[in-house]
Amino acid sequence: MRATKLFTEFFDSEKASGLVLIAVTLLSLLLANSVFQESYVQFWKMELGSHTLVEWINDGLMAIFFLLIGLELEREIYAGELSNLKKASLPLFGALGGMLVPAAIYLAFNWGTASQSGAGIPMATDIAFAVGALSLLGKKVPTSLKIFLTALAVVDDLGAILVIAIFYTKSLAFLNLAIALGVFGALLLCNRMRIHSFWPYAIGGIALWYFMLHSGIHATIAGVLLAFALPFGIGDKTSISYRWQRQLHFPVGFIILPLFALANTCLPLSGSIGTALLHPSSLGIILGLVVGKPLGIFLFAYGTTRLGWSHLPADFKWKHIFGAGILGGIGFTMSIFISLLAFQDEASIEASKIAILLASTAAGIMGFLYLKRSFNS
């Protein structure tokens, strides 16, 4: 019952957050292609100290987003769909296919080129957008399908975190990394000593972020490490992990992610779409998200079920798995975030963002229409 309540709260929060993200993305694109274009684009490039405003959002505020992702992963592992291997196997294998097949499609078009570093871009699923799109279908959607898509997206997030940590770390400052790991160890010790006070974890988390930022590993990984250092206990309302997760949902869903969307989708589109689609990475991103995601999720889920490694819940069918796979092609937040790490030049980053927006929009519309038809038939 506790896990069910946690899932319901999580699903409702992600649904609302997804709708807000759609609204602010449209607003950002509108402003970036209006008479306010120059001032709007320059606003996000404004210097604040040693970083621009968009860099503070991407390297600073997004660490809090990754903290929430880590808390959601912790919840799923200890009290949710990933706590039982039998229940976890279907979304686990589905997510694996949904990462490997899109990456393979991308590399098929970009292997040996300067853009091959973008293979991680179509591997990602935006949980807020995907859940938001699924929620538009209302009560027709069985709860087990909602849980499948949510668990799949959470595993997908874990995959994205590992990809960022392993493949997008270019150089290491070992002293800062050692200090960051030392802070993480101290936080784990606080956990073992059953310290539930807010301040040790807050202060330690800031220090962890600072030294991780200067270590060469992306600073957002600090958010995930902090999440797993927080005491989970039995996951009830007294748990510090539970309290932080509940308190972070609103600022992340309605402040941080909208700011990320606004700052990273201020794309002047006049003449850019055609140019972007001709960029070597664009075809790999679009086909990876729109074709690779549903194909990988479905094939891996179906194949492992036939092998007896997982099982299909009784209240939905394989066509619903395929529909959920199409929605998995909504990359948006994570895909844009990875594109910022994969490429250094503005042209490649902007081309990737446009390809991600086009692919995510197509996946959202197709997934919604496909599932609506499948539930009505």
Side-chain angles (χ1 to χ4, degrees):
M1 183 65 70
R2 172 171 48 81
T4 303
K5 184 179 178 183
L6 276 169
F7 169 75
T8 303
E9 291 175 353
F10 171 81
F11 187 86
D12 289 343
S13 173
E14 294 299 327
K15 174 174 68 176
S17 177
L19 297 175
V20 169
L21 276 177
I22 292 171
V24 298
T25 300
L26 292 174
L27 174 63
S28 183
L29 289 171
L30 181 65
L31 289 171
N33 293 277
S34 70
V35 294
F36 306 107
Q37 178 184 110
E38 186 176 349
S39 57
Y40 181 65
V41 172
Q42 289 304 314
F43 171 77
W44 295 110
K45 295 180 179 179
M46 180 173 58
E47 294 279 344
L48 288 176
S50 57
H51 298 280
T52 63
L53 185 56
V54 70
E55 286 172 342
W56 278 113
I57 292 169
N58 293 344
D59 293 341
L61 290 181
M62 286 299 283
I64 302 174
F65 164 71
F66 275 82
L67 169 58
L68 180 59
I69 291 292
L71 291 170
E72 289 163 355
L73 277 168
E74 186 181 42
R75 183 206 67 222
E76 289 294 330
I77 290 169
Y78 290 129
E81 284 301 295
L82 305 181
S83 61
N84 179 294
L85 186 59
K86 189 174 181 181
K87 291 192 298 181
S89 57
L90 190 68
L92 185 64
F93 286 118
L96 183 62
M99 290 184 282
L100 294 179
V101 174
I105 289 175
Y106 182 93
L107 288 173
F109 289 95
N110 292 272
W111 184 258
T113 70
S115 57
Q116 74 174 20
S117 60
I121 297 170
M123 295 173 69
T125 294
D126 189 296
I127 190 168
F129 267 129
V131 169
L134 189 64
S135 71
L136 296 176
L137 293 163
K139 296 181 179 178
K140 296 177 182 179
V141 184
T143 301
S144 55
L145 183 60
K146 296 177 184 178
I147 292 173
F148 169 79
L149 180 61
T150 304
L152 182 143
V154 169
V155 174
D156 196 291
D157 284 338
L158 175 59
I161 290 163
L162 293 174
V163 165
I164 291 168
I166 296 169
F167 296 105
Y168 295 113
T169 297
K170 294 178 173 62
S171 61
L172 288 175
F174 288 99
L175 178 59
N176 285 320
L177 179 59
I179 295 171
L181 293 176
V183 172
F184 178 56
L187 291 173
L188 289 176
L189 184 61
C190 289
N191 184 327
R192 294 292 296 174
M193 294 172 64
R194 302 184 185 277
I195 295 173
H196 290 259
S197 173
F198 169 82
W199 291 110
Y201 299 101
I203 295 170
I206 293 169
L208 179 60
W209 172 83
Y210 177 84
F211 288 107
M212 194 66 75
L213 177 67
H214 293 89
S215 72
I217 296 176
H218 201 272
T220 52
I221 301 300
V224 181
L225 294 178
L226 175 60
F228 280 91
L230 293 175
F232 184 81
I234 60 172
D236 62 4
K237 291 183 178 180
T238 64
S239 163
I240 187 171
S241 176
Y242 182 97
R243 296 201 309 271
W244 279 41
Q245 184 184 330
R246 291 202 65 181
Q247 291 164 0
L248 285 174
H249 262 303
F250 182 86
V252 167
F254 298 99
I255 299 173
I256 293 173
L257 286 183
L259 279 173
F260 176 85
L262 286 168
N264 290 283
T265 58
C266 54
L267 298 168
L269 298 177
S270 54
S272 297
I273 295 180
T275 305
L277 292 177
L278 293 174
H279 195 277
S281 67
S282 298
L283 192 58
I285 291 171
I286 293 170
L287 290 179
L289 287 172
V290 176
V291 178
K293 272 289 182 180
L295 197 62
I297 290 168
F298 179 84
L299 289 178
F300 272 58
Y302 182 78
T304 53
T305 301
R306 295 285 292 177
L307 290 169
W309 298 350
S310 55
H311 75 283
L312 185 72
D315 60 345
F316 65 90
K317 302 175 182 177
W318 284 113
K319 61 182 180 180
H320 301 141
I321 290 280
F322 188 75
I326 299 174
L327 291 181
I330 305 175
F332 197 71
T333 305
M334 277 294 196
S335 291
I336 290 176
F337 190 84
I338 292 174
S339 72
L340 298 173
L341 303 177
F343 303 124
Q344 300 300 315
D345 61 296
E346 284 296 322
S348 295
I349 292 172
E350 290 198 5
S352 296
K353 287 180 181 179
I354 291 171
I356 291 163
L357 286 173
L358 291 173
S360 297
T361 301
I365 293 171
M366 290 191 300
F368 173 81
L369 293 176
Y370 177 89
L371 283 170
K372 184 177 180 181
R373 183 175 180 181
S374 69
F375 287 127
N376 289 334
S377 61

